Amino acid sequence: MSTLQSNLLENHTPTGREEAWRFTPLKRLGGLHDGTAVIADRVSLAVKGTLPQGVTFTYGDIAAVTETDDAIINRVRAHTAQGTTLHIAANTELAEPLFLHRTQFGVDSAEFARTQIRVGNHAQATIVLENSGDTHIAEDVEIVVEPGAHLTLISLQEWGAATIHAARHHAVVDRDATFKSVVVTLGGDLVRILPTVDFIAPGASCDLSGVYFATEGQFFEHRMFVDHKVPHAKSRVNYKGALAGNKAHTVWIGDVFIRAAAEGTDTYELNRNLLLTDGARADSVPNLEIETGEIVGAGHASTTGRFDDEQLFYLMSRGINEADAKRLVVRGFFNEIISEIGIDDVEVRLMARIDDELAKAGK
Amino acid sequence: MSTLEIRGLKVSVETEQGEVEILKGVDLTIKSGETHAIMGPNGSGKSTLAYSIAGHPKYTITGGTVTLDGEDVLAMSVDERAKAGLFLAMQYPVEVPGVSVSNFLRTAATALRGEAPKLREWVGEVKSAMESLKMDPAFAQRNVNEGFSGGEKKRHEIMQLELLKPKFAILDETDSGLDVDALRVVSEGVVRAKAANNHGILLITHYTRILKYIKPDFVHVFAKGRIVEEGGPELAEKLEEHGYAEYVSA
Ligand SMILES: Nc1ncnc2c1ncn2[C@@H]1O[C@H](COP(=O)(O)OP(=O)(O)OP(=O)(O)O)[C@@H](O)[C@H]1O
Ligand SMILES: [Mg+2]
């Protein structure tokens, strides 16, 4: 237990004027960003079930593999040099998804967590990170995908209403490796997730997808950064959000940087928002910076719209009542991404939660 | 025996230049088992009539009544109209991304029948409806109308007619965009559904070729927002030969 107050960190306390913080309601961060949070001695992350062959899950000293300028993550690092390491040995192919979940909670104190996920050469794994219950947590998740490895990381925010959650999911993707991330945020008071990717060798690719549904008063921010600094890497970003209720607020930032060396880059990012009621606000900022013309493709799109009257009319003209028609349309909207998860009971559970959120919004 | 009665129906749409009246007093009565064909030039208001009966929010009813067995259809929500027994096969069926045909059909059947159809029987019903309309079973897993060709959309509409068993079916240019084989398959679907349910049909079309399969009892000429002439099947032949000039110039 310690509260770090070095000069360095004080200098890093965001004011809200910084580009990276301009949308985030700092007052609702529970002091995660300014050193006022009381940091408890808890390590909540645990494996569900038994570890398969070739996988280790340990707690101990940890060295950061990447740098970050995120104020909260730097506080986490300054606070502790220990963390959880999940290692998947080279050439291991996990037949089943590996589930991680939270076993300790607290809203009177906060957890500063460090986690490293390492997927060895040519290994293949699907990891599901289940976040439910209520807690205050800031988490530095570093992901290393070694040459030829394939990782699918599914991060589920099924939090309760009191949760404050700030996380960075930073993946370092090596030669011919693929990183697929699906981030689903359906609960919490404030959730701020930074899915970021560094390509470090040609042939690397990433696919960042996400779904979020904010209802009355909730703030959900997803802020990507994909750094194309090597040639011939490919990135895809596709996030879909729904908002309903007064002061529901979502932020999606898609920063993609194609550096001069990154010839042959292929990137496309997309964000779609469905505004289900008045009083909600969706900020969507795609941002593509290109330093070389020698690329395969680079594009982005962002849309924010309301229910399509024609779709509702078509469904209702077949006897389906308005609430059910809206539910079908919302499910349909999210289905494209939820169905990528590929784990039936998880998909069913998430769709049920989406139905609940929609029902809440209808009241 | 059911009766769909349209009396003095006036409908307008909101445009940038203000309200524009499209239907200027339509009178039409359809009884179970009857087939009424409506023919008329582009833009005369045929789809407006179809959508207004079904309750599309774009149209404002400014006068007249629509009743189904005496019940006020215009007071019903869109889904209530379907539950009362109205079905509209649309000229341009709508794509619904992410919603599979099979999920859509089952949700609709559950809503209209008041309970979920028994799974095994339902699977059989859908399968035979698809087979008779010569639709690949793979369509059940595709999203509603998404990426369907024009003809495939029309088959899908008539498949719904067979499954949902309305009292009255309004078919808005179901024959447009169909090749000769598809026209036969789709028409046979309509005839089969009618033989099974004895529903009334309001068939909007530009061509007599569909009337060879679906024989009308009455033909109505629609022009400038109202019915301007009524007759038997022979009227359709006359229209095909002479066009609408005599109705439009007046
Ligand atoms: N939103 C709108 N703004 C202006 N005019 C409209 C609007 N909606 C419909 N109309 C007009 O209403 C008229 C009737 O349209 P409708 O679709 O009912 O014609 P239709 O008889 O079905 O024609 P078609 O044979 O081409 O299908 C047309 O002139 C059309 O342009
Ligand atoms: Mg029309």
Side-chain angles (χ1 to χ4, degrees):
Chain A
M1 177 105 174
S2 79
T3 312
L4 243 149
Q5 295 289 353
S6 74
N7 283 335
L8 175 78
L9 283 180
E10 281 194 343
N11 289 338
H12 276 73
T13 297
T15 62
R17 287 188 296 275
E18 302 81 358
E19 181 57 37
W21 294 98
R22 69 185 172 106
F23 294 106
T24 318
L26 298 176
K27 285 200 190 81
R28 286 165 59 189
L29 274 169
L32 294 176
H33 65 302
D34 63 5
T36 61
V38 178
I39 310 304
D41 216 357
R42 27 174 213 274
V43 180
S44 62
L45 193 64
V47 174
K48 249 184 174 174
T50 52
L51 278 180
Q53 194 98 47
V55 181
T56 57
F57 185 83
T58 52
Y59 186 81
D61 287 342
I62 208 166
V65 291
T66 61
E67 288 189 350
T68 176
D69 56 7
D70 185 81
I72 292 181
I73 299 306
N74 278 320
R75 282 188 189 278
V76 172
R77 290 180 177 185
H79 172 76
T80 178
Q82 297 210 297
T84 302
T85 302
L86 174 67
H87 187 249
I88 297 171
N91 302 310
T92 302
E93 288 183 20
L94 295 189
E96 298 292 327
L98 179 66
F99 284 81
L100 307 179
H101 66 147
R102 304 281 169 195
T103 54
Q104 297 179 58
F105 306 90
V107 290
D108 301 325
S109 60
E111 175 180 357
F112 271 180
R114 296 184 67 169
T115 304
Q116 275 182 8
I117 297 171
R118 292 178 166 273
V119 186
N121 270 304
H122 294 93
Q124 283 189 33
T126 295
I127 296 170
V128 184
L129 186 52
E130 293 182 319
N131 289 313
S132 58
D134 266 314
T135 197
H136 291 185
I137 183 168
E139 188 176 32
D140 179 16
V141 182
E142 291 183 299
I143 300 145
V144 178
V145 193
E146 292 185 359
H150 303 292
L151 172 64
T152 299
L153 179 65
I154 295 158
S155 151
L156 307 177
Q157 282 59 244
E158 298 169 88
W159 296 117
T163 291
I164 300 170
H165 178 202
R168 174 177 182 254
H169 295 171
H170 182 83
V172 178
V173 187
D174 211 329
R175 184 178 300 274
D176 301 329
T178 62
F179 173 60
K180 180 177 169 68
S181 143
V182 183
V183 174
V184 179
T185 303
L186 303 175
D189 177 58
L190 182 151
V191 176
R192 183 181 199 264
I193 297 178
L194 286 59
T196 55
V197 174
D198 250 350
F199 291 124
I200 58 167
S205 73
C206 76
D207 183 343
L208 310 180
S209 334
V211 152
Y212 48 86
F213 193 153
T215 51
E216 187 162 351
Q218 289 179 315
F219 176 83
F220 297 159
E221 175 170 2
H222 298 88
R223 181 176 275 276
M224 344 276 113
F225 177 60
V226 180
D227 194 351
H228 280 271
K229 59 186 169 201
V230 295
H232 303 291
K234 177 178 171 179
S235 59
R236 291 287 180 272
V237 177
N238 186 8
Y239 269 64
K240 286 185 155 185
L243 298 90
N246 201 27
K247 302 222 157 66
H249 185 186
T250 65
V251 176
W252 176 88
I253 310 286
D255 286 335
V256 175
F257 189 16
I258 305 173
R259 295 183 196 246
E263 291 180 359
T265 288
D266 180 2
T267 181
Y268 193 82
E269 52 171 349
L270 178 62
N271 176 227
R272 288 183 186 285
N273 292 296
L274 193 53
L275 277 175
L276 303 179
T277 67
D278 290 331
R281 170 176 160 191
D283 288 296
S284 177
V285 189
N287 181 26
L288 198 52
E289 242 179 274
I290 308 180
E291 287 182 347
T292 170
E294 305 295 308
I295 56 172
V296 173
H300 61 71
S302 160
T303 61
T304 297
R306 293 178 176 271
F307 270 124
D308 182 334
D309 282 344
E310 299 297 331
Q311 289 176 10
L312 292 181
F313 172 72
Y314 188 76
L315 296 172
M316 289 177 71
S317 76
R318 275 30 175 172
I320 300 168
N321 68 39
E322 185 172 355
D324 287 343
K326 286 184 169 174
R327 192 157 64 214
L328 277 177
V329 170
V330 169
R331 279 179 160 245
F333 176 70
F334 284 134
N335 186 52
E336 178 195 357
I337 288 168
I338 297 290
S339 66
E340 280 185 30
I341 292 173
I343 306 169
D344 274 353
D345 50 348
V346 170
E347 291 180 12
V348 168
R349 190 178 82 207
L350 294 173
M351 280 299 187
R353 176 77 180 252
I354 287 168
D355 286 349
D356 287 351
E357 297 297 322
L358 187 64
K360 236 194 291 178
K363 289 210 177 91
Chain B
M1 171 68 87
S2 288
T3 307
L4 178 66
E5 195 171 327
I6 302 158
R7 282 285 158 268
L9 189 66
K10 293 186 176 176
V11 173
S12 58
V13 292
E14 196 66 54
T15 72
E16 279 163 22
Q17 287 80 43
E19 292 252 307
V20 175
E21 186 168 73
I22 300 194
L23 298 189
K24 298 176 174 147
V26 177
D27 294 297
L28 185 63
T29 302
I30 306 174
K31 297 199 161 75
S32 298
E34 293 178 353
T35 299
H36 294 246
I38 288 192
M39 303 181 80
N42 294 133
S44 57
K46 304 178 301 297
S47 292
T48 302
L49 175 64
Y51 276 128
S52 300
I53 297 170
H56 193 291
K58 179 172 120 177
Y59 301 96
T60 313
I61 313 293
T62 55
T65 58
V66 178
T67 58
L68 202 171
D69 294 334
E71 298 283 326
D72 182 0
V73 169
L74 299 178
M76 299 177 193
S77 61
V78 175
D79 57 309
E80 284 167 354
R81 295 178 197 210
K83 286 176 188 129
L86 294 175
F87 177 87
L88 169 60
M90 293 183 203
Q91 184 175 358
Y92 303 108
V94 181
E95 301 190 359
V96 191
V99 177
S100 71
V101 166
S102 92
N103 184 15
F104 163 64
L105 293 176
R106 195 168 157 78
T107 308
T110 302
L112 288 175
R113 297 176 191 182
E115 59 178 352
K118 293 220 167 50
L119 198 56
R120 179 151 346 128
E121 290 160 26
W122 173 248
V123 169
E125 259 185 88
V126 173
K127 193 163 167 263
S128 76
M130 291 185 87
E131 269 168 16
S132 54
L133 285 158
K134 305 220 165 21
M135 286 180 78
D136 191 313
F139 275 94
Q141 301 321 315
R142 286 177 61 178
N143 294 333
V144 173
N145 293 322
E146 203 176 48
F148 288 23
S149 74
E152 288 163 352
K153 285 180 180 165
K154 298 300 176 73
R155 286 174 204 237
H156 180 225
E157 295 291 283
I158 298 312
M159 183 176 117
Q160 294 171 52
L161 170 66
E162 288 211 72
L163 289 169
L164 302 179
K165 306 182 178 30
K167 289 184 183 147
F168 291 95
I170 303 167
L171 311 179
D172 191 358
E173 294 200 27
T174 296
D175 54 338
S176 295
L178 295 181
D179 64 43
V180 283
D181 295 326
L183 178 70
R184 186 175 41 77
V185 167
V186 164
S187 301
E188 284 169 1
V190 174
V191 170
R192 201 168 40 239
K194 189 181 165 210
N197 307 319
N198 194 39
H199 54 235
I201 297 178
L202 179 62
L203 177 83
I204 298 169
T205 183
H206 288 294
Y207 309 104
T208 52
R209 55 176 200 164
I210 192 173
L211 303 179
K212 296 195 168 65
Y213 297 99
I214 307 169
K215 299 244 170 3
D217 302 299
F218 306 92
V219 174
H220 309 266
V221 182
F222 208 85
K224 296 181 179 170
R226 55 165 63 98
I227 291 171
V228 293
E229 185 169 3
E230 293 176 316
E234 71 289 344
L235 181 53
E237 307 292 341
K238 184 189 144 199
L239 292 171
E240 187 143 89
E241 218 169 299
H242 301 292
Y244 300 108
E246 72 174 279
Y247 305 106
V248 179
S249 54

